[in-house]
Amino acid sequence: MSPSPANAWDQRIAATALRALIFDVDGTLADTEQAHLAAFNEAFVEAGLGWHWDVAQYTRLLEVSGGKERIAHHWALENGGMSAIDGLAMADTIQRVHDLKTAAYERQVAQGAVQMRPGVLALIDEAHAAGLRLAIATTTSPVNISALLRQAIGPDWMLRFEVIEDASTAPRKKPHPQVYRQTLARMHLPATACLAIEDSANGLAAARAAGLATVITPNEFTAHHDFGQALRVLPQGLAGVSVADLRRWHAERSATAA
Ligand code: XBP
Ligand code: MG
């Protein structure tokens, strides 16, 4: 027997009411890319590679998600796609350089080089208090997430996030939707009951491909990206944005999607 109109409506409301926020990390929770850039350059010196990325070059390289993928992409550009060493040796070298980079990034975060973006911590606290479920869907590594959030929130930072999907669990990097699909699956939630918060075109594409309405907070490295598919673009970031705002924008989207 089909559900009564009232039950069907209740089910529809339940399926579309905002129940969770899924946060990207780099460029969204914090302005991390300057520190990532400095860490890459430090690793290149340590590895004797003789490379140095400036801000303009790094802004272009950020179109490739994932630090190892970015090094491989640059390597290919440097060598016209050719490589003097075989694939295995290349993969080993990239892994070694990326490990040096991750250690350098961790040091920088520990020295206070990375700040959370304005409004992020307040929104996380308000959303948590309002009973919204929180998750992280990022391209970066567990080490980098922990270094950042341990510094910004404290040793119990993980209690704020029900699900964390990252490079160790989702090797297919954004714009592939794997990291968002796995987050939704582990939360047992439909995409319609969630909002993604991102900073880049790759992130937006990944979230949209997973069916997620997405709020964009651009930054100095991504302001020129195409955010045409976003629910909202917030040039000022999340400063002053409340849970009520997010609920309203999400409901507007649900109403138009009906
Ligand atoms: C953005 C990325 C990451 C970082 C560097 O991640 O593409 O690769 O630039 O971190 P997010 P790694 O999805 O959080 O925006 O070197 O650890 O990859
Ligand atoms: Mg990002």
Side-chain angles (χ1 to χ4, degrees), residues 16-193:
T16 56
L18 182 61
R19 296 169 65 194
L21 303 180
I22 307 175
F23 289 94
D24 168 50
V25 173
D26 292 302
T28 301
L29 290 182
D31 282 320
T32 56
E33 294 298 355
Q34 283 286 2
H36 281 299
L37 173 57
F40 277 113
N41 286 329
E42 207 177 309
F44 298 154
V45 170
E46 281 181 73
L49 275 175
W51 295 345
H52 181 86
W53 293 342
D54 62 21
V55 169
Q57 191 175 13
Y58 190 63
T59 302
R60 291 190 298 277
L61 286 164
L62 275 172
E63 287 161 20
V64 177
S65 288
K68 284 185 275 190
E69 293 80 357
R70 210 164 292 143
I71 296 170
H73 177 71
H74 179 72
W75 190 320
L77 290 177
E78 283 283 300
N79 298 287
M82 307 292 289
S83 169
I85 61 174
D86 69 39
L88 263 186
M90 188 170 163
D92 285 352
T93 304
I94 290 173
Q95 183 64 57
R96 186 166 56 79
V97 173
H98 193 252
D99 291 346
L100 291 170
K101 176 256 167 185
T102 298
Y105 177 76
E106 258 197 292
R107 285 194 297 274
Q108 291 212 41
V109 173
Q111 289 155 9
V114 178
Q115 307 308 317
M116 298 295 275
R117 293 189 67 177
V120 166
L121 291 177
L123 183 62
I124 287 173
D125 287 347
E126 188 198 352
H128 200 251
L132 282 179
R133 298 162 66 186
L134 305 182
I136 282 177
T138 176
T139 302
T140 196
S141 61
V143 172
N144 290 347
I145 304 167
S146 178
L148 178 70
L149 297 181
R150 200 177 49 241
Q151 181 90 1
I153 298 176
D156 62 354
W157 68 271
M158 281 181 122
L159 300 179
R160 279 280 186 277
F161 301 98
E162 182 182 321
V163 164
I164 298 170
E165 285 284 328
D166 56 47
S168 68
T169 57
R172 305 194 68 180
K173 306 284 171 70
K174 301 170 183 175
H176 191 284
Q178 181 184 39
V179 69
Y180 280 107
R181 286 185 179 149
Q182 291 180 184
T183 302
L184 291 169
R186 287 178 56 198
M187 298 185 88
H188 303 288
L189 282 176
T192 51

Side-chain angles (χ1 to χ4, degrees), residues 22-24 28 174 180 191 194-217 227-234 238 246 249-250 253:
I22 307 175
F23 289 94
D24 168 50
T28 301
K174 301 170 183 175
Y180 280 107
C194 307
L195 266 183
I197 303 178
E198 269 281 359
D199 73 303
S200 70
N202 280 347
L204 174 61
R208 295 296 304 132
L212 287 156
T214 307
V215 171
I216 293 287
T217 57
F227 296 127
Q229 293 299 306
L231 174 65
R232 275 279 184 302
V233 180
L234 306 174
L238 292 170
L246 297 177
W249 299 337
H250 180 265
R253 164 57 63 92

